[in-house]
Amino acid sequence: MTIENLVTVVIPTYNREATINEAIESILNQSYKKTEILVCDDFSTDHTVEKVNELIKEHNNIRILSRKDRLKGANAARNLGITEAKGEYIVFLDSDDILIKDSIYNRIKIFEEYPEIDMVYGDCIIGEKVCKFDKIQNFEQKKYLMEELSLCNFSVMMIKKNVFNVCPLLDTRLKSWQDDGLVLELNKYNKKMFHCGCAVDENRISKNSITSNYRNLYEGCKYIVKLYKKDILSEKNVFRFALWKLRILLNWFRSKEQTGKNSIEKWIYEKLFQLLLLVLKPFFRHIWG
């Protein structure tokens, strides 16, 4: 199969001088070669921009974009990339992750086989393990997403750019649950999703990543549940909504454990978190964030 569509890879970045080269090189080394790379810098204060500019001298498919508005975060950087993208398809890659060699090809071929699909995603590798995301095509999409409020992370997504002709750009109010916010918004506009059946990304969680800030995870969970309250109630029921309120509490316990003033306070919130986690686990296919 010969596929010649341009794929834009959007990389939001902030102070990733240690990892940005490897992320970009994983795109340059793809088996699928027709790509453009948009590095969307979020006001880095280290040598990230200089490192990207060195690569630009050698590769004419890399551009660096800088936002004019401050304090908007990663989704604002991604939105800049979406707006500037020339490709028919958009891949999101975090600047501390890398794409597996056949990552782009294994997703773009699904679009060729199933033209009605709007987003293709795969699994990711974390350390020595493969994090397997549910294959949404095996479920009723709307009911599944209102039950789980999540599907996959940004770095495993490939999306048709034209969906943003209908769907709004990414919600810049979200400081976490950003990938879930996009998935739920696509679902709201009846956009179809499909799992490609393999791992496409190596995910690396940094100390200063969003997923390590439990306060942000708590705020993000609370925001998403409030935003989709009516949908949860209509697609599921009151009991499911109550479970999501407990998920908010679970994240609050974790944030209090992280920010506790002393070891006793931290210990109390850690035990409360572990207890509530045991209660909730049977009701969710996966619990993260």
Side-chain angles (χ1 to χ4, degrees), residues 142-257:
K142 286 188 176 181
K143 288 189 178 298
Y144 175 94
L145 290 176
M146 287 307 104
E147 184 169 288
E148 299 296 332
L149 294 184
S150 65
L151 181 63
C152 61
N153 60 36
F154 267 122
S155 289
V156 302
M157 298 180 189
M158 179 184 284
I159 302 174
K160 288 179 178 176
K161 184 184 177 180
N162 64 15
V163 304
F164 295 105
N165 296 337
V166 178
C167 299
L169 292 174
L170 310 183
D171 191 338
T172 58
R173 293 168 293 183
L174 277 169
K175 302 305 177 187
S176 69
W177 289 64
Q178 294 173 337
D179 35 23
D180 305 313
L182 172 56
V183 166
L184 294 173
E185 194 72 10
L186 294 177
N187 179 67
K188 180 180 175 181
Y189 285 85
N190 298 312
K191 301 303 178 182
K192 301 302 179 187
M193 307 169 201
F194 197 97
H195 190 294
C196 70
C198 61
V200 297
D201 164 72
E202 288 188 26
N203 186 266
R204 299 163 183 185
I205 300 175
S206 305
K207 290 181 180 180
N208 59 343
S209 70
I210 290 173
T211 50
S212 63
N213 186 318
Y214 296 124
R215 181 70 189 184
N216 280 348
L217 290 172
Y218 158 67
E219 294 290 350
C221 183
K222 183 170 66 172
Y223 178 84
I224 287 288
V225 172
K226 181 180 179 180
L227 191 63
Y228 286 95
K229 176 181 178 180
K230 290 183 180 179
D231 301 276
I232 296 168
L233 291 172
S234 63
E235 291 292 337
K236 300 303 296 183
N237 49 45
V238 174
F239 178 67
R240 193 66 189 180
F241 181 72
L243 288 173
W244 272 106
K245 296 294 281 186
L246 289 175
R247 280 285 296 271
I248 296 171
L249 181 61
L250 181 75
N251 281 277
W252 185 76
F253 285 154
R254 199 65 187 271
S255 71
K256 295 296 287 184
E257 175 195 345

